[in-house]
Amino acid sequence: MKKIGFVIPWYGEDIPGGAEMELRGLVHHLKDAGMELEILTTCVKEFTSDWNVNYHRDGLTDVNGIAVRRFKVRKRDTQAFDGVNTKLMNGQMLTKDEEQTFVREMVNSDALYEYMEKHKDEYGLYVFIPYMFGTTYHGSLVCPQKTVLIPCFHDETYIYMRIFREAYSKVAGIIYNARPEYDLMQPIYDLEHTEQEVIGVGMDTDIRYDKERFYAKYDIRDPFIVYAGRKDEGKNIYTLIRYFEKYKERIGNNLKLVLIGGGKVEIPDGIKGDVHDLGFVDRQDKYDIIAASQLLCQPSKNESFSIVIMESWLCGRPALVHQNCEVTKHFVQDSNGGLYFSNYMEFEGCINYILTHPEEAEMMGENGCHYVKEHFDWPVVVKKYQDFFKRVIEKYQ
C-alpha cells in the first residue's frame, strides 16, 4: 500500500480538541502497526490562533516520529467569514454565494492543494478530518476517488450546507465515530456509492487506578459524581450544576460533585461546600478520581464520541448521559453501561438508583469495560482502519 496522507488544518502534540486528539492517537498507532503515513497540514498553530498567521515554518518536519508536511496559509477576509459563520451558528441557512464565502474565507492553503494535485500518485489515499474546514472541503476536491473522510459530523447547521453535500457525496469513503453519526447522514447526503464504516476512536484499555491514592491526595471521603472535561456552556455543564443544586435541596444527603478539566464555572453559593473543582489533573489522577466516584456524568448534548465515558467504564464506573445526545445515549444503551436523563426528575431518579444499587452500578461499569475492550481497543481499531483503507483502494482505484 502506498503511504496515506492525513489532512488536518493544524497539527501538534499539545493541541486540544477532539478531532486533533483523535488523529494524533490514530497516526501513532497506525505507524506502529507498519503503515507508511504523513500529515499534510498548514502552518497555523491551532484552532484558537489567527488563521492568517503562519506560526510554523513550512516544509517537512518530524513531530514525535510522525512526518508532518506544513504549507503556508492563504490570506483570508476574517470579517466576511465571521458574518456568514454567525448566521450558521444561529441556525440560519446560507445562500449559494454565502456558502462560497464560507469555504473561501476560512482556513485554506493553495500551496497544500497544489502539492496534493502534483503528488497524488505518491499517496494511496488522502484522509481528511474534520469535515467543516477549508482544508477538507478544497482538499477533497483534488482527488475524490482517493478521498476518505473522518468527518466528526454533528446535527448542526453546517452539515446541511449544499456545498458540503455536493462535495462529500463524491468521496470514496467515510469513517464514522459512532452509529448515530452514520444514521444522521444517510438521509442528508447521497452516499449510495461511498464506502462507509462505523469504526470509532481507539482507546488504551490497560488503565490502572487506585482509589486509596485519590482519598489520600484529595481527602474527599463522601460519595460523589464526577464531571471530566472542558467546563463551558457548550458542554451543558450548567445543567449538571443546576440539577445538582436542586438535588441537594430536595435530598439533602452528603453527595458531592467533583469537577476536573479546564475552564471556569460559577458555583451557586448554596452548594459551594459540596462542589470540588480540581481543575486540570494529570492522567493518573483522573483515573483515580473516576474510579473513586459513584458515577461519571457527561451532560453534553453534542458529541460524536466521548473518550471520558470510555475511560469511566475502563475505571469500572457507570455513566450518566443526556437523552438528547444520540451518540452518548447509544453508547450507554448498546453497552448497558449506564443511564440517561432528559429532565431533573429523571436525573434525580438515576442518581438515587446508582447510589442505592451498588451491585447494579458495578455491573454497569463492568459491562462498559467489556464494551470498550471489544470495540475500541487500539488493536481492534487499527485492524479496522487497515482493512477499510485496503477495501477503498481496491474498489475505487
Side-chain angles (χ1 to χ4, degrees):
M1 185 188 299
K2 296 179 182 178
K3 66 181 174 182
I4 307 296
F6 288 86
V7 186
I8 191 168
W10 29 75
Y11 185 84
E13 285 298 308
D14 299 321
I15 296 177
E20 292 85 349
M21 294 174 61
E22 179 178 351
L23 183 62
R24 281 199 302 271
L26 178 61
V27 295
H28 278 286
H29 283 85
L30 288 175
K31 185 175 184 293
D32 289 345
M35 180 171 288
E36 184 182 4
L37 56 85
E38 190 174 274
I39 300 292
L40 304 175
T41 189
T42 75
C43 296
V44 173
K45 183 181 180 182
E46 59 189 358
F47 176 77
T48 55
S49 302
D50 185 339
W51 297 352
N52 278 314
V53 174
N54 291 298
Y55 174 84
H56 297 282
R57 295 180 61 180
D58 61 339
L60 185 63
T61 59
D62 181 284
V63 179
N64 284 0
I66 301 297
V68 178
R69 195 179 297 272
R70 301 186 190 277
F71 299 86
K72 291 183 178 179
V73 286
R74 175 210 303 165
K75 293 299 180 181
R76 55 191 291 268
D77 186 336
T78 304
Q79 185 175 359
F81 174 82
D82 289 347
V84 296
N85 192 46
T86 298
K87 292 183 68 174
L88 288 165
M89 292 173 67
N90 290 328
Q92 302 175 50
M93 296 306 298
L94 304 182
T95 66
K96 185 175 181 180
D97 287 344
E98 287 173 331
E99 287 189 358
Q100 288 288 347
T101 298
F102 179 88
V103 297
R104 184 180 63 248
E105 303 302 344
M106 71 128 51
V107 60
N108 277 295
S109 172
D110 293 334
L112 168 61
Y113 313 140
E114 291 166 6
Y115 173 87
M116 292 174 61
E117 174 63 36
K118 183 177 180 180
H119 296 270
K120 61 186 178 184
D121 290 339
E122 300 173 18
Y123 295 84
L125 293 170
Y126 291 128
V127 182
F128 298 86
I129 182 173
Y131 80 96
M132 71 169 63
F133 292 98
T135 48
T136 298
Y137 171 75
H138 289 288
S140 71
L141 299 178
V142 171
C143 198
Q145 72 273 18
K146 285 192 172 186
T147 290
V148 170
L149 299 183
I150 308 173
C152 306
F153 285 127
H154 297 88
D155 190 3
E156 56 194 355
T157 314
Y158 300 91
I159 65 172
Y160 299 96
M161 289 172 62
R162 291 164 298 235
I163 203 166
F164 286 158
R165 284 187 288 170
E166 181 178 350
Y168 299 155
S169 294
K170 298 176 182 177
V171 303
I174 299 181
I175 294 171
Y176 301 97
N177 287 334
R179 182 73 192 190
E181 183 187 6
Y182 168 89
D183 293 337
L184 172 67
M185 300 316 296
Q186 302 315 300
I188 302 172
Y189 285 42
D190 179 8
L191 300 172
E192 181 181 356
H193 302 293
T194 301
E195 194 73 18
Q196 303 178 77
E197 186 170 351
V198 178
I199 294 180
V201 178
M203 296 289 302
D204 293 314
T205 60
D206 187 20
I207 283 181
R208 310 285 182 176
Y209 50 84
D210 187 335
K211 299 179 187 180
E212 294 302 322
R213 183 166 51 203
F214 160 76
Y215 297 136
K217 183 171 183 176
Y218 292 98
D219 196 28
I220 299 173
R221 304 283 174 171
D222 290 327
F224 64 91
I225 305 167
V226 62
Y227 170 90
R230 194 171 71 251
K231 297 191 289 289
D232 66 33
E233 191 171 353
K235 292 295 184 180
N236 204 29
I237 189 171
Y238 283 104
T239 294
L240 172 59
I241 291 170
R242 288 195 307 271
Y243 283 6
F244 180 73
E245 180 182 28
K246 189 170 183 178
Y247 182 90
K248 295 297 292 186
E249 291 173 353
R250 283 174 50 84
I251 306 301
N253 59 16
N254 63 342
L255 185 68
K256 300 296 188 285
L257 174 62
V258 172
L259 310 176
I260 57 178
K264 294 182 178 180
V265 288
E266 293 293 327
I267 306 299
D269 290 339
I271 57 170
K272 281 186 175 179
D274 294 307
V275 179
H276 301 274
D277 188 346
L278 305 183
F280 276 114
V281 298
D282 64 30
R283 182 175 297 183
Q284 187 58 67
D285 275 2
K286 176 170 69 170
Y287 297 155
D288 292 348
I289 292 166
I290 293 174
S293 72
Q294 267 51 56
L295 72 154
L296 175 133
C297 185
Q298 162 56 295
S300 174
K301 299 180 184 179
N302 196 21
E303 299 293 320
S304 63
F305 196 78
S306 179
I307 290 175
V308 72
I309 288 177
M310 307 301 158
E311 290 175 330
S312 74
W313 288 334
L314 292 170
C315 292
R317 302 315 304 151
L320 177 61
V321 305
H322 202 289
Q323 177 176 307
N324 292 347
C325 182
E326 293 296 331
V327 168
T328 56
K329 183 175 74 170
H330 163 77
F331 284 143
V332 299
Q333 288 179 319
D334 206 32
S335 65
N336 197 20
L339 303 172
Y340 54 88
F341 65 94
S342 63
N343 54 49
Y344 170 74
M345 292 308 298
E346 290 179 358
F347 174 86
E348 179 183 301
C350 290
I351 297 297
N352 287 340
Y353 181 85
I354 290 173
L355 293 180
T356 58
H357 294 78
E359 292 183 3
E360 288 81 356
E362 290 286 338
M363 185 167 293
M364 290 181 197
E366 292 175 6
N367 291 342
C369 185
H370 292 313
Y371 183 77
V372 178
K373 291 181 176 180
E374 179 181 358
H375 295 283
F376 305 120
D377 195 18
W378 269 118
V380 175
V381 170
V382 165
K383 180 65 164 56
K384 289 181 179 179
Y385 264 93
Q386 290 173 321
D387 291 346
F388 184 84
F389 289 159
K390 290 176 183 176
R391 194 161 67 248
V392 171
I393 290 172
E394 290 173 358
K395 181 175 180 180
Y396 294 97
Q397 297 177 35

